[in-house]
Coordinates of all heavy atoms in Angstrom, one line a residue:
F1 N 14.5 16.8 23.1 CA 13.7 17.8 22.4 C 13.8 17.6 20.9 O 12.8 17.7 20.2 CB 14.3 19.2 22.8 CG 13.7 20.3 22.0 CD1 12.4 20.7 22.4 CD2 14.3 20.9 20.9 CE1 11.7 21.7 21.6 CE2 13.6 21.8 20.2 CZ 12.4 22.3 20.5
L2 N 15.0 17.3 20.4 CA 15.1 17.0 18.9 C 14.3 15.8 18.5 O 13.6 15.8 17.5 CB 16.6 16.8 18.6 CG 17.4 18.1 18.6 CD1 18.9 17.8 18.3 CD2 16.9 19.1 17.6
L3 N 14.3 14.7 19.3 CA 13.6 13.5 19.0 C 12.1 13.8 19.0 O 11.3 13.4 18.1 CB 13.9 12.4 20.0 CG 13.2 11.1 19.8 CD1 13.5 10.5 18.4 CD2 13.5 10.1 20.9
F4 N 11.6 14.6 20.0 CA 10.2 15.0 20.1 C 9.8 15.8 18.9 O 8.8 15.6 18.2 CB 9.9 15.8 21.4 CG 8.6 16.3 21.4 CD1 7.5 15.6 21.8 CD2 8.3 17.7 21.1 CE1 6.2 16.1 21.8 CE2 7.0 18.2 21.1 CZ 6.0 17.4 21.5
A5 N 10.7 16.8 18.4 CA 10.4 17.6 17.3 C 10.3 16.8 16.0 O 9.4 17.0 15.2 CB 11.5 18.7 17.1
V6 N 11.2 15.8 15.8 CA 11.2 15.0 14.6 C 9.9 14.2 14.6 O 9.2 14.0 13.6 CB 12.4 14.1 14.5 CG1 12.3 13.0 13.5 CG2 13.7 15.0 14.3
L7 N 9.6 13.5 15.7 CA 8.4 12.7 15.7 C 7.1 13.6 15.6 O 6.1 13.1 14.9 CB 8.3 12.0 17.1 CG 9.3 10.8 17.2 CD1 9.2 10.3 18.6 CD2 9.1 9.8 16.2
H8 N 7.1 14.8 16.1 CA 5.9 15.6 16.0 C 5.7 16.1 14.5 O 4.6 16.2 14.0 CB 6.1 16.8 16.9 CG 4.9 17.8 16.9 ND1 3.7 17.4 17.4 CD2 4.8 19.0 16.4 CE1 2.9 18.4 17.2 NE2 3.5 19.4 16.6
I9 N 6.8 16.4 13.8 CA 6.8 16.8 12.4 C 6.4 15.7 11.5 O 5.6 15.9 10.6 CB 8.1 17.5 12.0 CG1 8.3 18.8 12.8 CG2 8.1 17.8 10.5 CD1 9.7 19.4 12.7
T10 N 7.1 14.5 11.6 CA 6.8 13.4 10.7 C 5.6 12.6 11.0 O 5.1 11.9 10.2 CB 8.1 12.5 10.6 OG1 8.3 12.0 11.9 CG2 9.3 13.2 10.1
G11 N 5.2 12.7 12.3 CA 4.0 11.9 12.7 C 2.7 12.1 11.8 O 2.2 11.2 11.3
P12 N 2.2 13.3 11.7 CA 1.1 13.6 10.9 C 1.2 13.2 9.4 O 0.3 12.7 8.8 CB 0.8 15.1 11.0 CG 1.5 15.5 12.3 CD 2.7 14.5 12.4
A13 N 2.4 13.4 8.9 CA 2.6 13.1 7.5 C 2.5 11.6 7.3 O 2.0 11.1 6.3 CB 4.0 13.6 7.0
A14 N 3.1 10.8 8.2 CA 3.0 9.4 8.1 C 1.6 8.8 8.3 O 1.2 7.9 7.7 CB 4.0 8.7 9.1
A15 N 0.9 9.5 9.2 CA -0.5 9.1 9.5 C -1.4 9.4 8.3 O -2.4 8.7 8.2 CB -1.0 9.8 10.8
A16 N -1.1 10.3 7.5 CA -2.0 10.7 6.4 C -1.9 9.7 5.3 O -2.8 9.6 4.4 CB -1.6 12.1 5.9
R17 N -0.8 8.9 5.2 CA -0.6 7.9 4.2 C -1.4 6.6 4.6 O -1.6 6.3 5.7 CB 0.8 7.5 4.1 CG 1.7 8.6 3.5 CD 3.1 8.2 3.4 NE 3.2 6.9 2.8 CZ 4.1 6.7 1.9 NH1 5.0 7.6 1.5 NH2 4.2 5.5 1.3
S18 N -2.0 6.0 3.5 CA -2.7 4.8 3.8 C -2.6 3.9 2.6 O -2.2 4.3 1.5 CB -4.2 5.1 4.1 OG -4.8 5.7 2.9
A19 N -2.9 2.6 2.8 CA -2.9 1.6 1.7 C -4.1 1.8 0.8 O -5.2 1.8 1.3 CB -2.8 0.2 2.3
V20 N -3.9 1.9 -0.5 CA -4.9 2.1 -1.5 C -4.9 0.9 -2.5 O -3.8 0.5 -2.9 CB -4.7 3.4 -2.2 CG1 -5.8 3.6 -3.3 CG2 -4.7 4.6 -1.2
A21 N -6.0 0.4 -2.8 CA -6.1 -0.7 -3.8 C -5.6 -0.2 -5.1 O -5.9 0.9 -5.6 CB -7.5 -1.2 -3.9
I22 N -4.9 -1.1 -5.8 CA -4.4 -0.9 -7.2 C -5.5 -1.3 -8.1 O -6.0 -2.4 -8.1 CB -3.1 -1.7 -7.4 CG1 -2.0 -1.2 -6.5 CG2 -2.7 -1.5 -8.9 CD1 -0.7 -1.9 -6.6
E23 N -5.8 -0.4 -9.0 CA -6.9 -0.6 -9.9 C -6.5 -1.8 -10.9 O -5.5 -1.8 -11.5 CB -7.2 0.6 -10.8 CG -8.4 0.5 -11.7 CD -8.7 1.8 -12.4 OE1 -8.4 2.9 -11.9 OE2 -9.3 1.7 -13.5
G24 N -7.4 -2.7 -11.1 CA -7.3 -3.8 -12.0 C -6.5 -5.0 -11.4 O -6.4 -6.0 -12.0
A25 N -6.0 -4.9 -10.2 CA -5.2 -6.0 -9.6 C -6.3 -7.0 -9.0 O -7.0 -6.6 -8.1 CB -4.3 -5.5 -8.5
R26 N -6.3 -8.2 -9.5 CA -7.2 -9.2 -9.0 C -6.8 -10.6 -9.4 O -6.0 -10.8 -10.4 CB -8.6 -9.0 -9.5 CG -8.8 -9.0 -11.0 CD -10.3 -8.7 -11.3 NE -10.5 -8.5 -12.7 CZ -10.5 -9.4 -13.7 NH1 -10.3 -10.7 -13.3 NH2 -10.7 -9.1 -14.9
F27 N -7.2 -11.6 -8.7 CA -7.0 -13.0 -9.0 C -8.4 -13.6 -9.3 O -9.4 -13.2 -8.6 CB -6.3 -13.8 -7.9 CG -4.8 -13.5 -7.8 CD1 -4.3 -13.3 -6.5 CD2 -4.0 -13.4 -8.9 CE1 -2.9 -13.1 -6.4 CE2 -2.7 -13.2 -8.8 CZ -2.1 -13.0 -7.5
E28 N -8.5 -14.5 -10.2 CA -9.7 -15.2 -10.5 C -9.5 -16.7 -10.0 O -8.8 -17.4 -10.5 CB -10.1 -15.2 -11.9 CG -10.5 -13.9 -12.5 CD -11.8 -13.4 -11.9 OE1 -12.7 -14.2 -11.5 OE2 -11.9 -12.2 -11.8
T29 N -10.2 -17.0 -8.9 CA -10.1 -18.3 -8.3 C -10.7 -19.4 -9.2 O -10.3 -20.6 -9.0 CB -10.7 -18.4 -6.9 OG1 -12.0 -18.0 -7.0 CG2 -9.9 -17.5 -5.9
A30 N -11.6 -19.1 -10.0 CA -12.2 -20.1 -10.9 C -11.4 -20.3 -12.1 O -11.6 -21.3 -12.9 CB -13.6 -19.6 -11.3
A31 N -10.4 -19.5 -12.4 CA -9.5 -19.6 -13.6 C -8.2 -20.4 -13.2 O -7.9 -20.6 -12.1 CB -9.2 -18.2 -14.1
S32 N -7.5 -20.7 -14.3 CA -6.2 -21.4 -14.1 C -5.1 -20.5 -13.8 O -5.2 -19.2 -13.9 CB -5.9 -22.2 -15.4 OG -5.6 -21.3 -16.4
I33 N -3.9 -21.0 -13.4 CA -2.7 -20.2 -13.1 C -2.4 -19.5 -14.4 O -2.1 -18.3 -14.4 CB -1.6 -21.1 -12.7 CG1 -1.8 -21.7 -11.3 CG2 -0.2 -20.3 -12.8 CD1 -1.4 -20.8 -10.2
K34 N -2.5 -20.1 -15.6 CA -2.2 -19.5 -16.9 C -3.1 -18.3 -17.1 O -2.6 -17.2 -17.5 CB -2.4 -20.6 -18.0 CG -2.3 -20.0 -19.4 CD -2.7 -21.0 -20.4 CE -2.8 -20.3 -21.7 NZ -3.6 -21.0 -22.7
D35 N -4.4 -18.4 -16.9 CA -5.3 -17.3 -17.1 C -5.0 -16.2 -16.2 O -5.1 -15.0 -16.5 CB -6.8 -17.8 -16.9 CG -7.2 -18.7 -18.1 OD1 -6.6 -18.7 -19.1 OD2 -8.1 -19.5 -17.8
N36 N -4.7 -16.5 -14.9 CA -4.3 -15.4 -14.0 C -3.1 -14.7 -14.4 O -3.0 -13.5 -14.2 CB -4.2 -16.0 -12.6 CG -5.6 -16.1 -11.9 OD1 -6.1 -15.1 -11.5 ND2 -6.1 -17.3 -11.8
L37 N -2.1 -15.5 -14.8 CA -0.8 -14.8 -15.3 C -1.0 -14.0 -16.5 O -0.4 -12.9 -16.6 CB 0.2 -15.9 -15.6 CG 0.9 -16.5 -14.3 CD1 1.7 -17.7 -14.7 CD2 1.8 -15.5 -13.6
Q38 N -1.9 -14.4 -17.4 CA -2.2 -13.5 -18.5 C -2.8 -12.2 -18.1 O -2.5 -11.1 -18.7 CB -3.2 -14.2 -19.5 CG -2.5 -15.3 -20.3 CD -3.4 -16.1 -21.1 OE1 -4.6 -16.3 -20.8 NE2 -2.9 -16.7 -22.2
A39 N -3.6 -12.2 -17.0 CA -4.1 -10.9 -16.5 C -3.1 -10.0 -15.9 O -3.3 -8.8 -15.8 CB -5.2 -11.2 -15.5

């Protein structure tokens, strides 16, 4: 019963989270390693 209660309570909270893109994070494949590191 306790295990069911914990899973029932935390399940919806965990499902609501999702991976979101970080603004400005990118690589330029046409640029050098140096240029990418500067970004």
Side-chain angles (χ1 to χ4, degrees):
F1 176 77
L2 289 174
L3 182 61
F4 174 78
V6 168
L7 290 175
H8 182 68
I9 291 168
T10 61
R17 293 179 49 137
S18 62
V20 177
I22 296 174
E23 188 176 333
R26 63 182 168 75
F27 286 136
E28 291 293 331
T29 56
S32 66
I33 292 277
K34 175 187 167 202
D35 293 336
N36 276 287
L37 282 169
Q38 285 175 333

